[in-house]
Amino acid sequence: HTLPPTEASSSSSSLTLSVECSVEALILSSMPCLSQCLSLITPFPFPTALLSLKTEGDGSVRKCDSLSFGSDAKSVRDAAACPMFRAALAKGISQANSMLPPPLQIKKFVITTRPPWGSP
């Protein structure tokens, strides 16, 4: 995920992309319930992560994830609103943050509740 030094020094946008990919990889590896993660490091004042949950074929949250978090959430919207589900995700973010320097640590996360293809 990292660029060779010559490429990194010639393109700050490439370096930013490389750093964000590393942040995302750490977050995804710390939480198997996630299907996708997008980190927004710059130009935002607080590093933020957009999280997409793994779902069943019907769009419901995987039951094994809900149960492991002590949640009864069935839909992604339920999971996004569930304090227990959010606390489990916050713990995973904290675990990933422990391996990152302070400027790259995620301060806020958002669970995306709509699939990328636009269905409700």
Side-chain angles (χ1 to χ4, degrees):
H1 289 5
T2 59
L3 298 171
T6 55
E7 290 180 38
S9 61
S10 66
S11 172
S12 63
S13 65
S14 294
L15 181 59
T16 300
L17 180 61
S18 175
V19 167
E20 288 177 352
C21 289
S22 298
V23 171
E24 292 161 0
L26 277 171
I27 292 170
L28 286 171
S29 68
S30 69
M31 292 182 281
C33 66
L34 297 179
S35 66
Q36 297 176 353
C37 173
L38 175 64
S39 60
L40 306 170
I41 304 296
T42 58
F44 299 96
F46 302 106
T48 302
L50 299 177
L51 307 176
S52 176
L53 302 176
K54 288 182 181 174
T55 59
E56 301 292 350
D58 63 357
S60 63
V61 175
R62 296 185 322 170
K63 191 171 186 173
C64 61
D65 293 330
S66 287
L67 292 175
S68 70
F69 296 155
S71 170
D72 61 355
K74 292 180 178 37
S75 70
V76 174
R77 287 186 198 279
D78 292 345
C82 176
M84 296 179 91
F85 210 102
R86 292 188 64 80
L89 293 177
K91 184 177 178 181
I93 294 282
S94 179
Q95 181 181 354
N97 279 344
S98 71
M99 296 179 267
L100 294 168
L104 299 179
Q105 291 179 356
I106 299 298
K107 307 291 189 266
K108 180 179 177 180
F109 68 89
V110 177
I111 301 168
T112 58
T113 58
R114 291 187 62 175
W117 53 88
S119 300

